[in-house]
């Protein structure tokens, strides 16, 4: 059964072109022109994935994202933005978006990112298998003073439970399972997003920054270390 996409884009030419491309790719598409319509459609006919333009009249894409996340809606969201500054893109991720594409974009990139988002929610078969699921007696994954329960999606540093988003949890789990091993950028992108966004992407750096802020404790050693020009490693020193 084809996946359903809710597309919200106020630029008529872009909306029609992307709707047609997605339909030809095999998606069932509902296309709307603003955030109000997007929310109405998301409530009445929940899609498998949303594609939201950031800048729309009335209710913009960021507001749509915040409303859905506040309601507990975890449907994957891909943002379309003409804003190229890192802080603008961080604002989208903070609002609850899962990924973004900067205009002008290649439609093949949109397809690839949608596939990655659907894989992460279990709606597409995974291309990369990380590690086998732990047996019941090996439920907790531990390293560097961190404990993670992948089945319950809970994590702790010492006695403090960490409040992590889905992407943050998956990234931290990957690092914990490979503690002491330097993971390069391409490997992390492939395992977490299912797609290597290339050297210009800031997605990974943004999420590593989020994790560091949540992991940091006064007087405690940093856990996630940057290996310049290569990637990241989890270790206590």
């Amino acid at each position: 059964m084809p996946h359903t996409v809710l597309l919200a884009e106020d630029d008529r030419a872009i909306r029609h072109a992307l709707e047609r491309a997605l339909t030809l790719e095999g998606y069932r598409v509902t296309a709307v022109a603003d955030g109000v319509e997007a929310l109405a459609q998301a409530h009445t006919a929940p899609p498998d994935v949303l594609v939201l333009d950031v800048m729309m009249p009335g209710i913009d894409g960021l507001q749509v994202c915040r409303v859905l996340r506040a309601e507990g809606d975890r449907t994957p969201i891909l943002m379309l933005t003409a804003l190229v500054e890192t802080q603008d893109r961080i604002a989208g991720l903070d609002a609850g978006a899962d990924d973004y594409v900067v205009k002008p974009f290649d439609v093949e990139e949109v397809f690839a990112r949608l596939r990655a988002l659907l894989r992460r929610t279990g709606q597409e078969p995974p291309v990369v298998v990380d590690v086998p699921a732990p047996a019941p007696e090996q439920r907790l994954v531990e390293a560097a003073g961190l404990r993670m329960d992948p089945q319950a999606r809970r994590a702790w540093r010492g006695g403090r439970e960490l409040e992590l988003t889905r992407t943050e949890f998956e990234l931290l789990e990957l690092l914990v399972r490979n503690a002491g091993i330097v993971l390069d950028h391409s490997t992390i992108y492939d395992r977490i997003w299912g797609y290597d966004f290339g050297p210009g992407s800031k997605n990974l750096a943004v999420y590593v920054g989020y994790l560091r802020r949540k992991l940091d404790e006064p007087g405690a050693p940093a856990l996630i270390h940057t290996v310049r020009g290569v990637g990241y490693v989890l270790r206590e020193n």
Side-chain angles (χ1 to χ4, degrees):
M1 186 172 183
H3 294 299
T4 57
V5 178
L6 174 55
L7 167 65
E9 166 63 68
D10 67 317
D11 184 304
R12 183 177 179 181
I14 295 176
R15 184 173 68 252
H16 287 178
L18 194 50
E19 180 183 11
R20 182 173 184 274
L22 288 166
T23 301
L24 290 173
E25 188 68 7
Y27 295 96
R28 280 196 297 125
V29 185
T30 299
V32 299
D34 58 49
V36 174
E37 288 185 272
L39 282 174
Q41 283 294 327
H43 290 146
T44 58
D48 294 322
V49 64
L50 291 95
V51 179
L52 302 176
D53 183 31
V54 170
M55 304 296 289
M56 292 188 290
I59 299 178
D60 64 22
L62 295 180
Q63 291 172 292
V64 172
C65 200
R66 291 189 189 101
V67 169
L68 292 176
R69 295 308 188 227
E71 294 172 346
D73 190 326
R74 307 313 302 168
T75 304
I77 296 176
L78 176 66
M79 305 294 288
L80 305 177
T81 178
L83 306 173
V84 297
E85 294 298 324
T86 300
Q87 288 302 317
D88 295 320
R89 286 176 274 179
I90 290 174
L93 296 172
D94 279 342
D98 296 281
D99 200 1
Y100 62 84
V101 175
V102 177
K103 298 176 183 178
F105 51 78
D106 186 323
V107 71
E108 292 296 332
E109 181 181 6
V110 174
F111 294 160
R113 297 194 185 213
L114 287 177
R115 289 193 297 269
L117 290 177
L118 291 167
R119 280 199 299 272
R120 287 163 58 194
T121 57
Q123 299 182 59
E124 291 267 340
V127 172
V128 178
V129 177
D130 283 350
V131 289
E137 65 273 13
Q138 299 175 321
R139 178 167 174 165
L140 292 182
V141 181
E142 302 184 50
L146 293 171
R147 292 180 300 124
M148 303 189 74
D149 184 340
Q151 294 177 17
R153 299 191 74 80
R154 299 176 68 186
W156 301 264
R157 182 173 189 181
R160 176 172 62 92
E161 185 164 3
L162 306 171
E163 295 295 327
L164 303 175
T165 66
R166 180 178 62 202
T167 300
E168 290 166 354
F169 187 94
E170 292 172 357
L171 176 56
L172 184 60
E173 183 184 1
L174 179 64
L175 292 168
V176 167
R177 288 187 183 277
N178 293 276
I181 300 171
V182 178
L183 300 177
D184 62 46
H185 298 96
S186 294
T187 296
I188 297 174
Y189 273 126
D190 192 39
R191 299 292 181 91
I192 303 303
W193 283 275
Y195 181 74
D196 186 351
F197 301 141
S201 174
K202 300 295 184 183
N203 269 21
L204 180 53
V206 167
Y207 276 101
V208 167
Y210 290 161
L211 277 180
R212 282 173 169 159
R213 287 194 290 273
K214 293 183 178 183
L215 291 173
D216 280 353
E217 292 183 345
L223 297 182
I224 301 177
H225 301 267
T226 301
V227 180
R228 195 169 300 279
V230 182
Y232 298 95
V233 60
L234 181 89
R235 61 171 184 259
E236 289 189 276
N237 52 49

